[in-house]
Amino acid sequence: MQFNKAAKKNIQWDKYMVYLIFVGVFLVFAVVLGNKGFLSANNIINILRQTTMISIMAVAGTLVMAAGQIDLTVGAVAAMTAMIVSLILQSTNSILLALLAGICFGCLIGAINGVLVTRFGLPAFLATMGMMQVVRGSAMWITDTAAVPIGNKTFCTIFGIGEVAGIPVLLLWTFVFYVAGFALFNKTSFGRHILATGGNEMSAQYSGVNTVKVKMIAFILSGAFAAFAGILYAGRLQAGRYSYGDGDEMSVIAAVVLGGTSMSGGTGSVIGALFGSVLMGMINNALILANLSSAQQTVVKGMIIILAVAMSNIAQKKNRK
């Protein structure tokens, strides 16, 4: 009896919260919007396809947040990368050059964020918020807010509109990134160092963990993953546009927190972040099917972010008792 009571007390509800919410929300939408096509195979595939970019950014978002940091530049980096890739393809038609330039740009922004936080001691929120404005403004500036169409069909097929055995390539890219992210976070010393850094940085340093290096790598990975999301935006929409990824940073934070990652660091779940991002996509889809206005959708999304943080904190406090 004592063992059973102890086992019940040790259940970490924050780790399972996203799965319970996911099932509950899905059932509610299935009942309320089932007659509007919510349960159709095409709609389910569409939800997964639309959430690909958020899902991929949420992988690195889990690493950053588990390390006790935050990155608000991901949406802007995605937009700027889409612009860079589109401009290079338009001028050279070289897919390899476009990919290298895009990923390198994301790594550069991530490195700058890391330096601002680790070397200059700026709070991650303020440092990345400032960089977000710089990058988003640059994306608007380089083409004077004009879209840059992509004429390379091979690029668009591989990174956006193609299918393999009937499966959209965007879903395959999501699978690849989550396999890599899960292995990195759960099966390597780097993943353990991430959690140690976010849980108690001073203790991690005394244990021999190079916390500066850990945070730098986390920010660089965040920039690289956001850049790849921008490549997928460009491939799917067959153009580069400064507005891509607008507000994605909030969706990524909500997905990661809903997935069981503490905003103060020390805990995290890559698979949970996937369910969190799909949950956000499912909610967006349902709001559209419910014929809510864009203003109403924005209000609901904001409430969801607040609810996500609140539920995460409540579950974590229960685990500490």
Side-chain angles (χ1 to χ4, degrees):
M1 291 293 292
Q2 290 181 351
F3 175 80
N4 290 335
K5 289 180 179 179
K8 288 180 181 179
K9 288 182 180 179
N10 290 329
I11 294 176
Q12 295 181 303
W13 290 109
D14 57 323
K15 290 186 176 182
Y16 304 106
M17 188 68 70
V18 66
Y19 310 114
L20 298 174
I21 295 174
F22 185 92
V23 173
V25 170
F26 180 84
L27 292 176
V28 169
F29 289 155
V31 172
V32 176
L33 300 172
N35 61 340
K36 294 188 177 182
F38 177 77
L39 291 174
S40 68
N42 286 339
N43 189 56
I44 298 299
I45 292 295
N46 189 46
I47 292 173
L48 296 175
R49 188 163 44 214
Q50 289 180 339
T51 56
T52 291
M53 283 64 86
I54 298 296
S55 296
I56 288 175
M57 288 187 280
V59 176
T62 300
L63 301 177
V64 171
M65 203 171 291
Q69 307 300 313
I70 195 168
D71 187 359
L72 299 178
T73 64
V74 290
V77 168
M80 187 63 176
T81 301
M83 296 293 288
I84 291 171
V85 167
S86 301
L87 288 169
I88 291 176
L89 287 173
Q90 195 177 73
S91 58
T92 69
N93 207 38
S94 171
I95 295 177
L96 180 60
L97 181 60
L99 294 177
L100 287 174
I103 298 299
C104 286
F105 171 76
C107 291
L108 174 62
I109 299 301
I112 293 173
N113 288 336
V115 169
L116 291 175
V117 171
T118 61
R119 300 299 182 185
F120 291 93
L122 297 180
F125 181 86
L126 296 177
T128 58
M129 182 172 64
M131 285 302 300
M132 174 183 68
Q133 299 295 329
V134 171
V135 175
R136 179 74 67 182
S138 298
M140 299 172 65
W141 187 12
I142 58 175
T143 61
D144 196 24
T145 71
V148 182
I150 297 175
N152 190 311
K153 297 301 181 184
T154 301
F155 173 86
C156 294
T157 299
I158 296 174
F159 297 102
I161 60 176
E163 293 184 352
V164 177
I167 303 174
V169 293
L170 291 177
L171 272 62
L172 297 177
W173 282 118
T174 301
F175 177 78
V176 168
F177 273 84
Y178 269 87
V179 169
F182 180 84
L184 180 65
F185 191 67
N186 296 90
K187 304 297 183 181
T188 69
S189 59
F190 176 71
R192 293 189 291 274
H193 292 170
I194 282 278
L195 293 174
T197 300
N200 190 318
E201 185 172 353
M202 185 171 292
S203 296
Q205 290 172 346
Y206 284 136
S207 300
V209 176
N210 188 338
T211 57
V212 170
K213 181 180 178 181
V214 166
K215 288 186 280 189
M216 282 291 298
I217 294 175
F219 275 115
I220 291 172
L221 287 174
S222 182
F225 280 39
F228 197 86
I231 290 169
L232 297 182
Y233 267 125
R236 183 184 177 212
L237 300 173
Q238 303 180 57
R241 186 180 289 274
Y242 77 91
S243 59
Y244 292 167
D246 188 23
D248 278 4
E249 57 280 348
M250 292 295 102
S251 296
V252 169
I253 291 171
V256 172
V257 173
L258 273 171
T261 300
S262 170
M263 292 195 73
S264 59
T267 62
S269 172
V270 170
I271 300 303
L274 173 62
F275 276 83
S277 62
V278 175
L279 175 61
M280 294 297 295
M282 185 167 62
I283 292 170
N284 289 340
N285 178 266
L287 295 178
I288 293 172
L289 291 178
N291 294 321
L292 295 184
S293 68
S294 59
Q296 291 171 323
Q297 292 178 36
T298 302
V299 170
V300 173
K301 291 175 189 176
M303 293 173 63
I304 290 169
I305 292 172
I306 295 172
L307 183 62
V309 176
M311 288 189 301
S312 176
N313 288 340
I314 291 171
Q316 288 163 23
K317 286 180 181 178
K318 285 183 178 180
N319 287 332
R320 295 191 190 106
K321 292 180 179 180

